[in-house]
């Protein structure tokens, strides 16, 4: 709530925001998520949001390329009292994903848009998701996510729902969130 108020009153934050955050937490609840993989930590907003809605001893592994963002997110996560539920990994997703060593009930993708498809393909080949895992992709209405959308919609491996929304904290710019469930 404090981050939402700051983003509305003081300065834009490029996080999922409260409206699209509800789409994310609904997917999280439906997935029965214990473990979550997040691509793109930024300030820790969505990692905190997801950690607050995890089942049991679930954990969020959040990957952030920018060391400064990762450091700031760790401080905010610590302030929120969620350091034991969230691990922020610093580096390229392509380098970290194969070494994670766990499967995830939900993957939230909200990082460099040109990496959505390559990183999803790596996630699939590394078997860090399983049938029934959810993949939630933010900003697919604002940016060119054609290759990513073609894959999740046309590969025959996912059931998909497109949620039209607006950019966080701005009701005039169209955006969307794609929720995909791995079938096989």
């Amino acid at each position: 709530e404090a981050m939402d108020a700051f983003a509305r009153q003081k300065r834009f934050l490029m996080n999922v925001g409260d409206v699209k955050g509800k789409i994310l937490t609904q997917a999280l609840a439906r997935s029965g998520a214990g473990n979550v993989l997040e691509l793109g930590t930024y300030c820790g907003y969505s990692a905190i949001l997801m950690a607050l809605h995890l089942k049991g001893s679930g954990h969020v592994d959040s990957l952030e390329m920018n060391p400064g963002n990762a450091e700031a997110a760790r401080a905010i996560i610590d302030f929120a009292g969620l350091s034991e539920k969230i691990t922020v990994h610093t580096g390229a997703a392509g380098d970290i994903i194969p070494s994670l060593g766990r499967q995830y009930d939900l993957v939230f993708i909200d990082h460099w848009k040109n990496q959505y498809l390559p990183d999803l393909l790596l996630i699939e080949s590394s078997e860090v998701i399983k049938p029934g895992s959810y993949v939630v992709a933010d900003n697919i209405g604002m940016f060119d996510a054609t290759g990513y959308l073609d894959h999740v919609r046309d590969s025959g491996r996912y059931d998909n729902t497109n949620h039209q929304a607006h950019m966080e904290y701005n009701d005039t710019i169209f955006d969307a969130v794609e929720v995909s469930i791995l079938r096989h």
Side-chain angles (χ1 to χ4, degrees), residues 103-115:
Q103 285 194 315
Y104 297 92
D105 302 302
L106 184 136
V107 175
F108 179 50
I109 303 176
D110 190 16
H111 64 331
W112 293 103
K113 307 320 173 204
N114 65 345
Q115 288 302 118

Side-chain angles (χ1 to χ4, degrees), residues 28-174:
L28 189 69
R30 286 192 298 271
S31 76
N35 291 321
V36 173
L37 174 61
E38 175 180 46
L39 307 184
T41 310
Y42 183 50
C43 64
Y45 179 103
S46 50
I48 291 168
L49 180 66
M50 292 185 292
L52 291 171
H53 291 87
L54 288 177
K55 303 261 181 182
S57 62
H59 192 82
V60 176
D61 282 302
S62 186
L63 314 185
E64 175 57 49
M65 180 74 164
N66 181 303
N69 288 349
E71 184 179 333
R74 284 185 195 103
I76 293 167
I77 290 164
D78 186 51
F79 182 77
L82 292 167
S83 295
E84 291 186 19
K85 300 276 274 174
I86 303 167
T87 302
V88 177
H89 304 264
T90 306
D95 295 334
I96 298 169
I97 290 167
S99 68
L100 290 170
R102 72 171 84 191
Q103 285 194 315
Y104 297 92
D105 302 302
L106 184 136
V107 175
F108 179 50
I109 303 176
D110 190 16
H111 64 331
W112 293 103
K113 307 320 173 204
N114 65 345
Q115 288 302 118
Y116 277 33
L117 179 58
D119 287 342
L120 178 61
L121 294 173
L122 180 59
I123 285 166
E124 291 173 352
S125 68
S126 299
E127 298 182 353
V128 298
I129 56 175
K130 60 192 180 304
S133 291
Y134 280 59
V135 179
V136 179
D138 191 18
N139 300 127
I140 58 96
M142 290 177 53
F143 299 99
D144 182 10
T146 306
Y148 175 84
L149 290 175
D150 288 346
H151 177 72
V152 295
R153 293 177 179 173
D154 300 335
S155 68
R157 299 189 68 199
Y158 294 90
D159 293 317
N160 301 285
T161 305
N162 182 273
H163 298 269
Q164 295 189 4
H166 291 92
M167 185 177 84
E168 49 277 9
Y169 316 114
N170 186 326
D171 291 338
T172 63
I173 300 174
F174 170 78

